[in-house]
Amino acid sequence: MNVIRVPDYEAMSKRAADFLTARIKELPSPVIGLATGSTPKGMYKQLIHACRMEKISFRHVTTFNLDEYIGLPASDPNSYHSFMRKTFFQHMDIPPEQIYIPDGEAVLLENECTRYESLIDKKGVDVQVLGIGQNGHIGFNEPGTPFDQTTHVTTLTDSTRQANARFFSSIESVPKQAITMGIASIMKSREILLLASGPHKAEAVARLFSGNVLEAFPASVLQDHPHVTIIVDDEAFSLVSRKEEKYD
Ligand code: GLP
């Protein structure tokens, strides 16, 4: 894993935007996997700025989002459809037909999972952007998710619902299920860019560097991927050396 240490969130966001910009310029039809959450917001801001300054264009880019809540209409302000539209897509020049997000409102959820995975296989993701949950989840692959699972319906852990409750009016209104790309879907990406910032991610980052690949800690699977870059700020990196011994 290629580790880029940066001082803070701002620096992480800039490096991540530069990283994606380089790939988007060098590939003829880039396919980029995108993530939600607070972590990539700064990166999206940087990319929007670059697009406004005409330093980058997304006209030839296809995107795949990692996940979506089940039971929230796409128009709900807390759906990941809304998040992506407000935070990124409405400010960019990407054609809507090149944007893919799982449909959390599908009547036949299993069919939606199969459809989404087939699209991923057909297009092939060049770079998948990931955040990391405090319990090591990537996408919505919670601890214990088998590494061979592709896009599937998952039940969110209480800790993930608690962590995401800050966006909702109450914990009760946080959906209990989601559709997520599986670990196997994520591992098919040619390249992975993981971002981590802040003291609340320090434990998870330390475990990621611990050397153990365990389904109990989903992000650890990235150690088996041939092309991973991690952009991590000082606070998120702060426990790495101390914790390494503990988890060995
Ligand atoms: C959410 C998302 C993940 C995200 C993670 C971390 O539950 N499903 O894709 O990476 O949690 O979120 P944040 O960046 O807000 O810490």
Side-chain angles (χ1 to χ4, degrees), residues 154-179:
T154 183
T155 299
L156 305 179
T157 61
D158 288 344
S159 72
T160 295
R161 292 182 66 236
Q162 203 74 55
N164 290 357
R166 65 192 191 276
F167 302 111
F168 293 80
S169 53
S170 65
I171 180 77
E172 290 76 33
S173 43
V174 183
K176 294 193 166 74
Q177 287 192 307
I179 294 187

Side-chain angles (χ1 to χ4, degrees), residues 36-40 66-67 80 131-133 137 139-140 160 164 166 201:
T36 51
S38 307
T39 308
L66 280 167
D67 45 20
Y80 285 166
I132 183 168
H137 74 237
F140 267 137
T160 295
N164 290 357
R166 65 192 191 276
K201 297 297 171 74

